[in-house]
Amino acid sequence: MKTITIGNTVISVLSGDITAWTGDIIVNAANSGLLGGGGVDGAIHRAGGPEIMEQCKEIRKLQGGCPPGHAVITAAGNLDAKHVIHTVGPIWEGGGRREAQTLAECYRSSLKLANEVSARSIAFSNISTGIYGYPKSPACDVALKAVTEYVREDQDNRLEQIDFVCFDSDNLELYMKRLEQYA
Ligand code: APR
């Protein structure tokens, strides 16, 4: 594990399955329909149980889904967390469709929503770097920049623990190598 501290917030890189993480908020890499899927979305719904999908369906009824870059929040079901935040990353189309801005917005939207529910700890999966095909190296820099800038600049931030939970070795290596550049 590697960590940096910015103000009162400790930012860490962990290896493992985010469904085994314990804390306030787990951030899911969802799709705009909030329909569930494979990857981390599938893992979270499998481990969390039907309550999460029921609340996703309610949100879909109310607002039709979740546009890329935005985030919604549900219960965490059987997961050892208080909430799951579902954010929708950009599908990689070569980099010319504002993918970086949308990906950064995923992290900012999730952090804002976490602070709205007075969370103190949050775990991010590596949004868009699986099925959505975002190259892991640039995605790592977008994520680290967006999160550290938010922590430095947002007066409302009360998060004390922000974890990047890396499931695959490529992401783990990238985050472990680059985290300290953002201290
Ligand atoms: N814990 C943590 N991270 C995980 C886990 C897990 N259990 N399973 C997969 N991951 C990681 C992958 O290694 C990848 O780095 O999550 C990251 C994001 O990959 P995806 O889950 O494929 O998400 P994404 O690329 O954002 O694509 C989203 O995939 O599952 C569907 O419904 C989802 O349509 C949406 C799309």
Side-chain angles (χ1 to χ4, degrees):
M1 175 168 99
K2 194 157 270 193
T3 69
I4 60 173
T5 301
I6 298 174
N8 297 323
T9 307
V10 177
I11 301 172
S12 304
V13 175
L14 309 177
S15 163
D17 180 341
I18 204 166
T19 64
W21 183 85
T22 298
D24 290 346
I25 306 262
I26 288 173
V27 181
N28 180 27
N31 53 59
S32 51
L34 300 174
L35 300 163
V40 68
D41 199 2
I44 285 173
H45 282 286
R46 270 194 306 280
E51 185 184 12
I52 301 175
M53 183 50 76
E54 279 152 30
Q55 294 194 11
C56 285
K57 284 179 182 159
E58 283 307 306
I59 293 168
R60 213 165 48 241
K61 265 191 231 148
L62 284 172
Q63 62 181 60
C66 180
H70 292 247
V72 296
I73 191 166
T74 67
N78 306 320
L79 296 170
D80 201 1
K82 291 181 185 152
H83 299 284
V84 174
I85 285 179
H86 307 262
T87 192
V88 179
I91 296 171
W92 181 254
E93 296 182 86
R97 308 289 296 268
R98 294 181 51 76
E99 291 97 324
Q101 291 85 341
T102 303
L103 184 60
E105 201 46 40
C106 286
Y107 288 91
R108 276 195 294 273
S109 305
S110 301
L111 291 165
K112 282 184 195 135
L113 202 39
N115 277 300
E116 282 170 23
V117 297
S118 308
R120 290 290 177 269
S121 58
I122 187 168
F124 282 104
S125 49
N126 308 126
I127 309 297
S128 278
T129 64
I131 294 165
Y132 278 2
Y134 205 119
K136 293 177 180 174
S137 178
C140 172
D141 285 313
V142 167
L144 289 173
K145 182 171 180 291
V147 168
T148 52
E149 278 181 359
Y150 175 88
V151 169
R152 284 197 175 88
E153 294 162 14
D154 195 294
Q155 303 305 320
D156 298 333
N157 180 49
R158 297 287 175 276
L159 285 157
E160 294 159 3
Q161 176 188 340
I162 300 176
D163 292 343
F164 289 99
V165 179
C166 300
F167 189 68
D168 61 81
S169 54
D170 294 343
N171 271 307
L172 181 65
E173 196 182 325
L174 285 163
Y175 277 80
M176 291 287 273
K177 249 195 283 188
R178 297 191 187 166
L179 177 66
E180 283 159 343
Q181 295 165 27
Y182 290 85

